[in-house]
Amino acid sequence: MDHQHAFQLKPAGAPYTCSGCGQLGFGSRYHCENNISCNYILHEECVNPVPYAFHPFFEKSSFEFHKKPPGHRTRYCDACGKDVLGFVYHCSSTNIDLHPCCLKLQRSISNENVTLELYRKVHSKCAKCKHKHVEGKFEGWSYYDGNSYCYHVSCFKDFIVENLKRGYFSQVDRSITNSTNRETQLALTSMEIAQSSRRGRTMSKYTKIAVVVFKLIFSAIFGNPISAFVAILEALATN
């Protein structure tokens, strides 16, 4: 018989997959302490879900929390387009689904004179996929500064997962002095994506703005990056 989970907040460490929603997580997490062999881990958004929720992007929807996707067909999140693998907020009347983390995405994020707004629909191409739509007619939510930088939430997730598989985060819990160049290369790769959307600025200004944009979106989607990763990005931004 499964034991009753008792959760304890753990500090940021290696990347993890949330046992509730099945989505990737960084930063702090809630780990079951009831059994030494239990690896049940939850996002903050998943450890204390609310039974009912609303979102301003879907004014006609009233969401109810489910531990498993309702029905028998494969369901996807109407924010990022990724499959629903576990915990989900579902509206039975509009048939709309949201991952817990997507439901809680901040509408506005800002730092160092850079402000990004979350949009259900946006009039700019994503800096990564170069399209307005994630796939087919599905636009997907985006973070956009209203001028140069636009990233689909879905594309940013893909970018991080791709680099996770390549080993960029295998040593992220080390101090900045002992880290390899993998995290630096990840930041530079993201900056190359952002830079392709606009020309004419100096590389140093490109670098600083792109790093801030990268850090803001990373934190909004995955939770606060661990200290070593943040230190690398901030070091790049000040050079």
Side-chain angles (χ1 to χ4, degrees), residues 59-156:
E59 295 181 351
K60 297 181 180 180
S61 299
S62 178
F63 296 97
E64 183 177 359
F65 176 76
H66 295 263
K67 287 191 173 181
K68 295 181 179 179
H72 301 286
R73 69 177 180 85
T74 301
R75 309 195 69 84
Y76 68 90
C77 174
D78 287 272
C80 68
K82 303 299 183 187
D83 287 348
V84 172
L85 303 174
F87 292 3
V88 64
Y89 285 93
H90 172 75
C91 177
S92 57
S93 61
T94 59
N95 204 33
I96 290 174
D97 300 279
L98 293 175
H99 290 131
C101 291
C102 289
L103 175 72
K104 299 296 180 64
L105 283 174
Q106 299 177 63
R107 297 285 304 280
S108 179
I109 51 178
S110 60
N111 190 21
E112 299 183 32
N113 298 320
V114 175
T115 298
L116 299 167
E117 302 287 343
L118 183 66
Y119 288 88
R120 181 183 177 186
K121 297 181 179 181
V122 71
H123 301 291
S124 178
K125 293 180 180 179
C126 171
K128 184 178 187 299
C129 72
K130 314 301 181 187
H131 297 288
K132 292 182 180 179
H133 294 73
V134 172
E135 184 177 354
K137 295 182 179 181
F138 179 73
E139 293 190 33
W141 294 2
S142 302
Y143 274 109
Y144 181 45
D145 72 344
N147 186 24
S148 303
Y149 298 92
C150 178
Y151 286 92
H152 286 128
V153 170
S154 175
C155 289
F156 198 89

XYZ file of all heavy atoms in Angstrom, residues 59-156:
799
model
N -11.902 33.736 -20.100
C -12.936 34.318 -19.236
C -14.175 33.435 -19.111
O -14.908 33.540 -18.126
C -13.325 35.702 -19.773
C -12.194 36.717 -19.708
C -12.602 38.078 -20.226
O -13.716 38.179 -20.802
O -11.823 39.034 -20.067
N -14.405 32.582 -20.089
C -15.588 31.728 -20.059
C -15.316 30.373 -19.411
O -16.201 29.520 -19.367
C -16.125 31.520 -21.482
C -16.597 32.797 -22.153
C -17.140 32.524 -23.547
C -17.618 33.809 -24.215
N -18.160 33.551 -25.588
N -14.090 30.175 -18.923
C -13.711 28.886 -18.356
C -13.618 28.948 -16.841
O -13.150 29.931 -16.273
C -12.350 28.434 -18.926
O -12.407 28.274 -20.324
N -14.074 27.875 -16.215
C -13.922 27.688 -14.780
C -13.175 26.372 -14.581
O -13.689 25.307 -14.927
C -15.293 27.647 -14.100
O -15.154 27.426 -12.709
N -11.972 26.447 -14.054
C -11.099 25.284 -13.995
C -11.228 24.536 -12.674
O -11.326 25.131 -11.602
C -9.642 25.712 -14.194
C -9.361 26.293 -15.547
C -9.350 27.672 -15.746
C -9.130 25.475 -16.639
C -9.101 28.219 -16.992
C -8.887 25.999 -17.899
C -8.868 27.374 -18.075
N -11.202 23.207 -12.789
C -11.208 22.333 -11.626
C -9.938 21.498 -11.640
O -9.514 21.008 -12.690
C -12.433 21.426 -11.639
C -12.543 20.531 -10.417
C -13.801 19.684 -10.411
O -14.610 19.824 -11.370
O -13.992 18.888 -9.478
N -9.327 21.331 -10.471
C -8.088 20.575 -10.380
C -8.366 19.066 -10.452
O -9.273 18.558 -9.819
C -7.369 20.894 -9.071
C -6.122 20.075 -8.850
C -4.957 20.371 -9.533
C -6.126 19.001 -7.966
C -3.808 19.614 -9.344
C -4.991 18.239 -7.766
C -3.829 18.544 -8.456
N -7.536 18.380 -11.266
C -7.617 16.923 -11.391
C -6.218 16.336 -11.215
O -5.236 16.879 -11.741
C -8.152 16.509 -12.770
C -9.566 16.915 -13.043
N -10.632 16.063 -12.866
C -10.080 18.095 -13.474
C -11.759 16.690 -13.186
N -11.444 17.932 -13.557
N -6.132 15.221 -10.523
C -4.841 14.548 -10.386
C -4.478 13.757 -11.642
O -3.311 13.457 -11.889
C -4.848 13.625 -9.167
C -4.782 14.372 -7.839
C -4.527 13.417 -6.684
C -4.286 14.206 -5.395
N -3.997 13.307 -4.243
N -5.502 13.415 -12.421
C -5.292 12.725 -13.693
C -6.124 13.427 -14.755
O -7.209 13.934 -14.459
C -5.706 11.259 -13.591
C -4.848 10.432 -12.635
C -5.308 8.982 -12.625
C -4.451 8.143 -11.686
N -4.892 6.722 -11.646
N -5.619 13.456 -15.994
C -6.394 14.105 -17.050
C -7.749 13.417 -17.232
O -7.807 12.187 -17.285
C -5.517 13.959 -18.302
C -4.370 13.101 -17.923
C -4.355 12.919 -16.461
N -8.815 14.184 -17.295
C -10.147 13.584 -17.456
C -10.335 12.986 -18.848
O -9.693 13.394 -19.810
C -11.088 14.769 -17.232
C -10.275 15.968 -17.606
C -8.863 15.642 -17.223
N -11.193 12.000 -18.923
C -11.469 11.375 -20.208
C -10.428 10.329 -20.574
O -9.572 9.964 -19.777
N -10.512 9.887 -21.820
C -9.639 8.802 -22.266
C -8.680 9.217 -23.380
O -7.759 8.479 -23.713
C -10.488 7.618 -22.747
C -11.407 7.070 -21.693
N -10.950 6.320 -20.633
C -12.755 7.191 -21.529
C -11.965 5.981 -19.863
N -13.080 6.504 -20.373
N -8.885 10.371 -23.952
C -7.990 10.801 -25.025
C -6.812 11.586 -24.466
O -6.848 12.083 -23.336
C -8.746 11.651 -26.042
C -9.184 13.016 -25.538
C -9.851 13.815 -26.646
N -10.289 15.139 -26.221
C -9.508 16.215 -26.213
N -8.229 16.110 -26.563
N -9.985 17.385 -25.836
N -5.757 11.697 -25.270
C -4.600 12.491 -24.880
C -4.985 13.966 -24.835
O -5.612 14.488 -25.761
C -3.443 12.302 -25.877
O -3.080 10.916 -25.910
C -2.230 13.131 -25.472
N -4.615 14.624 -23.766
C -4.948 16.036 -23.600
C -3.656 16.847 -23.612
O -2.591 16.348 -23.247
C -5.720 16.266 -22.307
C -6.921 15.343 -22.110
C -7.844 15.853 -21.020
N -8.521 17.078 -21.440
C -9.642 17.100 -22.167
N -10.220 15.980 -22.562
N -10.201 18.245 -22.498
N -3.758 18.092 -24.047
C -2.600 18.977 -24.049
C -2.946 20.283 -23.364
O -4.105 20.679 -23.281
C -2.098 19.229 -25.481
C -3.042 20.045 -26.342
C -2.950 21.439 -26.382
C -4.017 19.423 -27.126
C -3.805 22.194 -27.162
C -4.882 20.167 -27.916
C -4.771 21.552 -27.925
O -5.625 22.299 -28.707
N -1.915 20.946 -22.858
C -2.085 22.221 -22.179
C -2.363 23.317 -23.202
O -1.629 23.455 -24.185
C -0.825 22.541 -21.371
S -0.819 24.172 -20.595
N -3.401 24.099 -22.976
C -3.773 25.161 -23.913
C -2.920 26.412 -23.753
O -3.132 27.395 -24.460
C -5.249 25.513 -23.748
C -6.162 24.436 -24.316
O -6.466 24.496 -25.511
O -6.533 23.514 -23.558
N -1.928 26.359 -22.856
C -0.978 27.466 -22.731
C 0.296 27.169 -23.521
O 0.720 27.962 -24.357
C -0.630 27.701 -21.263
N 0.901 26.001 -23.260
C 2.181 25.677 -23.895
C 2.070 24.627 -24.987
O 3.007 24.451 -25.776
C 3.191 25.216 -22.838
S 2.799 23.622 -22.065
N 0.964 23.899 -25.031
C 0.788 22.886 -26.071
C 1.380 21.530 -25.732
O 1.220 20.578 -26.506
N 2.048 21.411 -24.586
C 2.648 20.139 -24.193
C 1.566 19.196 -23.644
O 0.551 19.627 -23.107
C 3.728 20.356 -23.131
C 4.834 21.312 -23.563
C 5.561 20.808 -24.776
C 6.712 21.733 -25.158
N 7.331 21.344 -26.446
N 1.824 17.885 -23.762
C 0.864 16.898 -23.281
C 0.603 17.043 -21.784
O 1.509 17.406 -21.020
C 1.381 15.483 -23.555
C 1.308 15.104 -25.024
O 0.651 15.826 -25.794
O 1.918 14.085 -25.401
N -0.609 16.755 -21.383
C -0.962 16.687 -19.969
C -0.623 15.278 -19.486
O -1.181 14.296 -19.981
C -2.458 16.987 -19.753
C -2.855 16.713 -18.313
C -2.762 18.433 -20.130
N 0.294 15.185 -18.531
C 0.800 13.892 -18.073
C 0.350 13.538 -16.663
O 0.637 12.438 -16.177
C 2.328 13.891 -18.127
C 2.954 14.195 -19.491
C 4.466 14.296 -19.370
C 2.557 13.140 -20.512
N -0.331 14.453 -15.998
C -0.737 14.206 -14.618
C -1.636 15.319 -14.128
O -2.685 15.597 -14.714
N -1.220 16.006 -13.057
C -2.025 17.083 -12.494
C -2.398 18.093 -13.580
O -1.562 18.483 -14.408
C -1.247 17.818 -11.399
C -0.997 17.011 -10.145
C -1.386 15.687 -10.042
C -0.360 17.597 -9.059
C -1.161 14.948 -8.884
C -0.124 16.877 -7.896
C -0.521 15.550 -7.809
N -3.646 18.534 -13.535
C -4.109 19.474 -14.561
C -5.316 20.246 -14.040
O -6.072 19.763 -13.200
C -4.495 18.709 -15.857
C -5.667 17.774 -15.614
C -4.802 19.673 -16.997
N -5.478 21.461 -14.540
C -6.687 22.243 -14.313
C -7.519 22.145 -15.588
O -7.058 22.521 -16.674
C -6.347 23.688 -13.979
C -5.833 23.865 -12.574
C -4.470 23.838 -12.301
C -6.710 24.025 -11.505
C -3.990 23.982 -11.001
C -6.252 24.164 -10.205
C -4.888 24.137 -9.966
O -4.428 24.274 -8.677
N -8.725 21.645 -15.452
C -9.586 21.358 -16.606
C -10.924 22.067 -16.476
O -11.513 22.104 -15.398
C -9.812 19.847 -16.725
C -10.825 19.463 -17.758
N -10.571 19.503 -19.112
C -12.125 19.036 -17.623
C -11.647 19.112 -19.769
N -12.599 18.829 -18.899
N -11.380 22.634 -17.590
C -12.721 23.224 -17.642
C -13.610 22.298 -18.458
O -13.355 22.075 -19.653
C -12.689 24.611 -18.263
S -14.334 25.354 -18.445
N -14.639 21.757 -17.841
C -15.511 20.802 -18.519
C -16.399 21.463 -19.575
O -16.764 20.827 -20.571
C -16.387 20.075 -17.491
O -17.144 21.001 -16.730
N -16.722 22.738 -19.403
C -17.613 23.408 -20.356
C -16.892 23.866 -21.619
O -17.458 23.812 -22.716
C -18.302 24.599 -19.691
O -17.349 25.559 -19.262
N -15.638 24.305 -21.489
C -14.884 24.769 -22.668
C -13.836 23.769 -23.124
O -13.202 23.965 -24.161
C -14.186 26.112 -22.368
O -13.288 25.942 -21.258
C -15.209 27.187 -22.036
N -13.628 22.717 -22.345
C -12.674 21.654 -22.672
C -11.234 22.167 -22.759
O -10.428 21.688 -23.550
C -13.051 20.971 -23.990
C -12.498 19.551 -24.070
O -12.391 18.855 -23.062
N -12.134 19.130 -25.262
N -10.916 23.152 -21.936
C -9.581 23.738 -21.913
C -8.802 23.178 -20.723
O -9.351 22.977 -19.646
C -9.664 25.274 -21.845
C -10.194 25.815 -23.183
C -8.303 25.899 -21.528
C -10.450 27.294 -23.184
N -7.519 22.918 -20.948
C -6.647 22.347 -19.922
C -5.418 23.224 -19.715
O -4.873 23.777 -20.686
C -6.177 20.951 -20.332
C -7.327 19.990 -20.532
O -7.820 19.455 -19.535
O -7.725 19.777 -21.694
N -4.962 23.321 -18.473
C -3.752 24.072 -18.153
C -2.911 23.298 -17.147
O -3.423 22.794 -16.147
C -4.103 25.439 -17.551
C -4.799 26.455 -18.460
C -5.170 27.709 -17.661
C -3.917 26.829 -19.645
N -1.597 23.183 -17.440
C -0.683 22.673 -16.423
C -0.739 23.596 -15.204
O -0.907 24.812 -15.364
C 0.764 22.682 -16.940
C 1.043 21.678 -18.016
N 1.687 22.013 -19.178
C 0.778 20.350 -18.092
C 1.811 20.933 -19.926
N 1.269 19.921 -19.299
N -0.571 23.079 -14.002
C -0.541 23.954 -12.821
C 0.491 25.070 -12.946
O 0.213 26.222 -12.569
C -0.187 22.983 -11.686
C -0.761 21.678 -12.129
C -0.537 21.650 -13.616
N 1.675 24.762 -13.472
C 2.715 25.788 -13.609
C 2.339 26.829 -14.656
O 2.688 28.004 -14.517
C 4.049 25.138 -13.967
S 4.761 24.153 -12.634
N 1.645 26.412 -15.705
C 1.232 27.370 -16.728
C 0.115 28.272 -16.214
O 0.068 29.464 -16.534
C 0.799 26.636 -17.992
S 2.163 25.863 -18.904
N -0.788 27.696 -15.429
C -1.853 28.498 -14.826
C -1.277 29.623 -13.982
O -1.814 30.735 -13.948
C -2.750 27.605 -13.960
C -3.841 28.315 -13.166
C -4.961 28.800 -14.087
C -4.402 27.405 -12.085
N -0.147 29.354 -13.310
C 0.443 30.310 -12.380
C 1.520 31.201 -13.020
O 2.163 31.979 -12.307
C 1.050 29.559 -11.198
C 0.045 28.751 -10.386
C -0.995 29.643 -9.717
C -2.003 28.841 -8.910
N -1.411 28.136 -7.769
N 1.718 31.102 -14.326
C 2.727 31.952 -14.968
C 2.426 33.427 -14.723
O 1.282 33.871 -14.860
C 2.768 31.690 -16.478
C 3.481 30.418 -16.950
C 3.304 30.249 -18.450
C 4.965 30.450 -16.583
N 3.463 34.194 -14.380
C 3.288 35.617 -14.120
C 2.892 36.349 -15.398
O 3.469 36.113 -16.466
C 4.585 36.212 -13.566
C 5.040 35.606 -12.247
C 6.356 36.194 -11.807
O 6.465 37.389 -11.550
N 7.371 35.348 -11.711
N 1.941 37.269 -15.268
C 1.496 38.038 -16.433
C 2.530 39.058 -16.860
O 2.606 39.413 -18.044
C 0.176 38.751 -16.094
C -0.988 37.815 -15.790
C -1.545 37.190 -17.045
N -1.954 38.166 -18.028
C -3.103 38.833 -18.002
N -3.965 38.624 -16.995
N -3.409 39.685 -18.943
N 3.330 39.540 -15.921
C 4.356 40.532 -16.233
C 5.598 40.237 -15.396
O 5.499 39.998 -14.192
C 3.844 41.941 -15.927
O 4.836 42.918 -16.200
N 6.758 40.213 -16.048
C 8.028 39.996 -15.361
C 9.000 41.078 -15.797
O 9.055 41.460 -16.959
C 8.611 38.597 -15.654
C 8.648 38.320 -17.165
C 7.832 37.516 -14.928
C 9.249 36.976 -17.530
N 9.765 41.599 -14.845
C 10.669 42.685 -15.190
C 11.898 42.686 -14.302
O 11.869 42.210 -13.163
C 9.955 44.039 -15.089
O 9.480 44.262 -13.769
N 12.970 43.248 -14.852
C 14.231 43.403 -14.133
C 15.168 44.222 -15.005
O 15.191 44.057 -16.224
C 14.853 42.035 -13.829
C 16.040 42.138 -12.887
O 16.187 43.119 -12.159
N 16.892 41.136 -12.911
N 15.911 45.119 -14.373
C 16.932 45.911 -15.078
C 16.373 46.597 -16.323
O 16.923 46.503 -17.424
C 18.121 45.033 -15.446
C 18.820 44.410 -14.239
C 20.039 43.602 -14.648
O 20.689 43.981 -15.643
O 20.330 42.614 -13.962
N 15.237 47.265 -16.184
C 14.610 48.027 -17.265
C 14.115 47.161 -18.415
O 13.838 47.665 -19.502
C 15.582 49.091 -17.816
C 15.959 50.108 -16.764
O 15.117 50.538 -15.978
N 17.228 50.501 -16.742
N 14.015 45.855 -18.201
C 13.436 44.955 -19.189
C 12.121 44.421 -18.627
O 12.085 43.882 -17.527
C 14.386 43.777 -19.504
C 13.698 42.788 -20.453
C 15.683 44.285 -20.110
N 11.039 44.601 -19.387
C 9.725 44.106 -18.965
C 9.150 43.212 -20.056
O 9.104 43.592 -21.230
C 8.753 45.260 -18.689
O 9.263 46.065 -17.625
C 7.377 44.720 -18.288
N 8.725 42.035 -19.660
C 8.110 41.089 -20.577
C 6.679 40.821 -20.124
O 6.430 40.606 -18.936
C 8.898 39.775 -20.604
C 10.355 39.859 -21.061
C 11.078 38.564 -20.741
C 10.439 40.144 -22.552
N 5.755 40.832 -21.075
C 4.359 40.558 -20.775
C 3.974 39.207 -21.372
O 4.449 38.824 -22.440
C 3.457 41.644 -21.374
C 3.762 43.056 -20.903
C 3.329 43.315 -19.470
O 2.510 42.526 -18.946
O 3.798 44.311 -18.886
N 3.107 38.495 -20.647
C 2.609 37.214 -21.134
C 1.398 37.458 -22.022
O 0.455 38.139 -21.627
C 2.235 36.319 -19.951
C 1.768 34.900 -20.280
C 2.899 34.083 -20.896
C 1.241 34.208 -19.023
N 1.417 36.905 -23.226
C 0.338 37.095 -24.184
C -0.259 35.759 -24.599
O 0.469 34.779 -24.798
C 0.842 37.802 -25.446
C 1.161 39.265 -25.261
C 2.422 39.675 -24.839
C 0.201 40.247 -25.526
C 2.725 41.021 -24.667
C 0.496 41.589 -25.363
C 1.759 41.973 -24.936
O 2.047 43.301 -24.768
N -1.576 35.743 -24.737
C -2.235 34.568 -25.314
C -2.036 34.576 -26.828
O -1.832 33.536 -27.450
C -3.719 34.579 -24.971
C -4.474 33.374 -25.519
C -5.966 33.452 -25.209
N -6.699 32.350 -25.785
C -8.014 32.234 -25.759
N -8.747 33.167 -25.172
N -8.619 31.191 -26.317
N -2.105 35.750 -27.413
C -1.845 35.934 -28.837
C -0.858 37.079 -28.993
O -0.966 38.086 -28.295
C -3.136 36.246 -29.596
C -4.163 35.133 -29.562
C -5.401 35.510 -30.358
C -6.430 34.394 -30.353
N -7.637 34.741 -31.142
N 0.077 36.952 -29.881
C 1.085 37.991 -30.048
C 1.315 38.251 -31.527
O 1.140 37.353 -32.359
C 2.405 37.580 -29.345
C 3.090 36.451 -30.085
C 3.339 38.770 -29.177
N 1.704 39.465 -31.870
C 1.869 39.859 -33.267
C 3.335 39.882 -33.683
O 3.725 40.630 -34.561
C 1.234 41.228 -33.497
C -0.221 41.285 -33.176
N -1.174 40.634 -33.923
C -0.892 41.885 -32.158
C -2.370 40.846 -33.406
N -2.229 41.598 -32.335
N 4.135 39.048 -33.052
C 5.554 38.983 -33.394
C 5.985 37.527 -33.465
O 5.454 36.674 -32.741
C 6.395 39.729 -32.351
O 7.769 39.632 -32.646
N 6.925 37.225 -34.320
C 7.421 35.860 -34.451
C 8.317 35.505 -33.260
O 9.052 36.346 -32.753
C 8.208 35.700 -35.753
C 7.357 35.828 -37.008
C 8.200 35.652 -38.261
C 7.331 35.777 -39.512
N 8.130 35.621 -40.755
N 8.233 34.266 -32.838
C 9.075 33.765 -31.745
C 10.539 33.786 -32.179
O 10.879 33.403 -33.302
C 8.652 32.343 -31.388
S 9.743 31.490 -30.233
N 11.409 34.237 -31.290
C 12.829 34.343 -31.622
C 13.478 32.986 -31.839
O 14.522 32.901 -32.480
C 13.574 35.092 -30.508
N 12.874 31.929 -31.322
C 13.470 30.599 -31.490
C 12.937 29.892 -32.733
O 13.700 29.464 -33.584
C 13.230 29.723 -30.265
C 13.915 28.352 -30.369
C 13.704 27.522 -29.126
C 14.532 26.237 -29.191
N 14.155 25.374 -30.328
N 11.606 29.755 -32.843
C 11.052 28.981 -33.964
C 10.798 29.818 -35.207
O 10.528 29.273 -36.279
C 9.764 28.288 -33.531
S 8.343 29.397 -33.295
N 10.840 31.150 -35.051
C 10.636 32.090 -36.165
C 9.210 32.083 -36.711
O 8.960 32.490 -37.838
C 11.610 31.806 -37.327
C 13.050 31.581 -36.906
C 13.617 32.757 -36.165
C 15.074 32.505 -35.783
N 15.609 33.562 -34.914
N 8.265 31.620 -35.892
C 6.867 31.595 -36.314
C 5.987 32.218 -35.223
O 6.382 32.303 -34.066
C 6.404 30.159 -36.575
C 7.134 29.477 -37.688
N 6.945 29.791 -39.013
C 8.077 28.489 -37.665
C 7.724 29.035 -39.770
N 8.421 28.239 -38.970
N 4.785 32.637 -35.625
C 3.825 33.149 -34.654
C 3.086 32.009 -33.970
O 2.644 32.140 -32.835
C 2.826 34.082 -35.339
C 3.426 35.396 -35.828
C 2.361 36.275 -36.458
C 2.955 37.589 -36.947
N 1.931 38.458 -37.584
N 2.940 30.889 -34.678
C 2.231 29.740 -34.136
C 3.229 28.667 -33.720
O 4.236 28.434 -34.402
C 1.263 29.160 -35.163
C 0.125 30.089 -35.506
N 0.304 31.215 -36.270
C -1.195 30.053 -35.183
C -0.865 31.840 -36.408
N -1.782 31.156 -35.752
N 2.917 27.996 -32.617
C 3.773 26.891 -32.170
C 3.671 25.733 -33.148
O 4.677 25.152 -33.561
C 3.360 26.428 -30.753
C 4.103 25.163 -30.356
C 3.637 27.537 -29.743
N 2.444 25.399 -33.514
C 2.210 24.299 -34.454
C 0.814 24.431 -35.036
O -0.155 24.645 -34.297
C 2.355 22.946 -33.753
C 2.234 21.749 -34.667
C 2.453 20.427 -33.960
O 2.820 20.452 -32.765
O 2.249 19.387 -34.593
N 0.717 24.304 -36.355
C -0.592 24.403 -37.000
C -1.273 25.713 -36.661
O -0.706 26.793 -36.823
N -2.500 25.638 -36.152
C -3.246 26.828 -35.774
C -3.073 27.190 -34.301
O -3.637 28.177 -33.838
C -4.739 26.620 -36.080
C -5.051 26.471 -37.577
C -6.547 26.325 -37.804
C -6.867 26.210 -39.291
N -8.329 26.088 -39.531
N -2.287 26.397 -33.582
C -2.090 26.654 -32.158
C -1.010 27.711 -31.957
O 0.149 27.499 -32.310
C -1.691 25.359 -31.442
C -1.447 25.540 -29.963
C -2.504 25.746 -29.095
C -0.160 25.524 -29.457
C -2.287 25.912 -27.738
C 0.073 25.691 -28.102
C -0.995 25.886 -27.238
N -1.409 28.863 -31.424
C -0.458 29.961 -31.243
C 0.417 29.766 -30.017
O 1.625 29.967 -30.071
C -1.206 31.294 -31.146
C -1.894 31.698 -32.446
C -2.410 33.125 -32.392
O -1.778 33.969 -31.723
O -3.448 33.389 -33.018
N -0.183 29.386 -28.905
C 0.587 29.209 -27.678
C 0.922 30.539 -27.020
O 1.070 31.571 -27.675
N 1.031 30.517 -25.707
C 1.370 31.727 -24.965
C 2.821 32.115 -25.210
O 3.687 31.269 -25.452
C 1.145 31.509 -23.483
C -0.289 31.300 -23.107
C -1.364 31.250 -23.942
C -0.794 31.097 -21.781
N -2.517 31.035 -23.220
C -2.205 30.935 -21.908
C -0.202 31.043 -20.521
C -3.017 30.716 -20.797
C -1.017 30.825 -19.416
C -2.410 30.668 -19.551
N 3.073 33.429 -25.123
C 4.414 33.960 -25.369
C 4.743 35.048 -24.367
O 3.855 35.751 -23.880
C 4.514 34.551 -26.783
O 4.204 33.616 -27.782
N 6.027 35.185 -24.089
C 6.535 36.344 -23.363
C 7.127 37.298 -24.394
O 7.943 36.909 -25.234
C 7.597 35.940 -22.335
C 6.998 35.516 -21.007
C 7.025 34.182 -20.596
C 6.385 36.451 -20.165
C 6.469 33.803 -19.378
C 5.821 36.068 -18.956
C 5.872 34.748 -18.573
O 5.311 34.377 -17.375
N 6.704 38.569 -24.321
C 7.063 39.544 -25.354
C 7.293 40.903 -24.711
O 6.545 41.314 -23.817
C 5.905 39.604 -26.367
C 6.094 40.538 -27.531
C 7.291 40.592 -28.250
C 5.048 41.364 -27.955
C 7.444 41.438 -29.338
C 5.180 42.203 -29.044
C 6.387 42.240 -29.735
O 6.528 43.079 -30.810
N 8.343 41.584 -25.166
C 8.641 42.909 -24.615
C 7.995 44.024 -25.424
O 8.212 45.204 -25.139
C 10.157 43.124 -24.521
C 10.821 43.320 -25.879
O 10.204 43.000 -26.914
O 11.986 43.773 -25.903
N 7.211 43.665 -26.432
C 6.533 44.658 -27.253
C 7.388 45.269 -28.329
O 6.947 46.146 -29.072
N 8.613 44.770 -28.466
C 9.520 45.375 -29.428
C 10.388 44.337 -30.133
O 10.213 44.057 -31.312
C 10.398 46.408 -28.729
C 11.274 47.189 -29.679
O 10.950 47.301 -30.863
N 12.366 47.712 -29.193
N 11.341 43.739 -29.400
C 12.355 42.901 -30.034
C 12.319 41.431 -29.632
O 12.639 40.565 -30.425
C 13.754 43.443 -29.711
O 13.896 44.784 -30.124
N 11.976 41.169 -28.391
C 12.148 39.826 -27.849
C 10.815 39.140 -27.612
O 9.977 39.629 -26.858
C 12.945 39.880 -26.541
C 14.338 40.423 -26.727
C 14.601 41.785 -26.569
C 15.384 39.580 -27.081
C 15.881 42.290 -26.759
C 16.668 40.075 -27.271
C 16.906 41.431 -27.113
O 18.170 41.925 -27.304
N 10.622 38.012 -28.260
C 9.410 37.222 -28.105
C 9.777 35.744 -28.077
O 10.503 35.260 -28.943
C 8.443 37.502 -29.256
S 6.925 36.522 -29.186
N 9.310 35.033 -27.068
C 9.545 33.601 -26.963
C 8.238 32.895 -26.633
O 7.573 33.244 -25.661
C 10.540 33.272 -25.846
C 11.984 33.602 -26.138
C 12.509 34.839 -25.778
C 12.814 32.678 -26.759
C 13.831 35.153 -26.031
C 14.148 32.981 -27.014
C 14.648 34.223 -26.649
O 15.956 34.534 -26.897
N 7.883 31.891 -27.426
C 6.798 31.005 -27.026
C 7.203 30.291 -25.739
O 8.354 29.878 -25.580
C 6.553 29.926 -28.089
C 5.873 30.409 -29.312
N 6.364 30.172 -30.588
C 4.713 31.124 -29.489
C 5.555 30.692 -31.484
N 4.555 31.281 -30.843
N 6.274 30.141 -24.821
C 6.543 29.343 -23.622
C 6.948 27.932 -24.033
O 7.876 27.342 -23.478
C 5.300 29.318 -22.710
C 5.469 28.302 -21.578
C 5.023 30.708 -22.147
N 6.275 27.393 -25.032
C 6.574 26.048 -25.522
C 7.996 25.947 -26.072
O 8.731 24.998 -25.770
C 5.574 25.658 -26.617
O 5.906 24.411 -27.189
N 8.405 26.922 -26.870
C 9.736 26.889 -27.479
C 10.828 27.035 -26.432
O 11.888 26.410 -26.538
C 9.859 27.999 -28.523
S 8.879 27.718 -30.008
N 10.575 27.854 -25.428
C 11.571 28.017 -24.365
C 11.704 26.723 -23.575
O 12.810 26.313 -23.209
C 11.191 29.172 -23.440
C 12.345 29.674 -22.620
C 13.169 30.681 -23.104
C 12.619 29.144 -21.367
C 14.247 31.141 -22.358
C 13.681 29.599 -20.610
C 14.502 30.603 -21.111
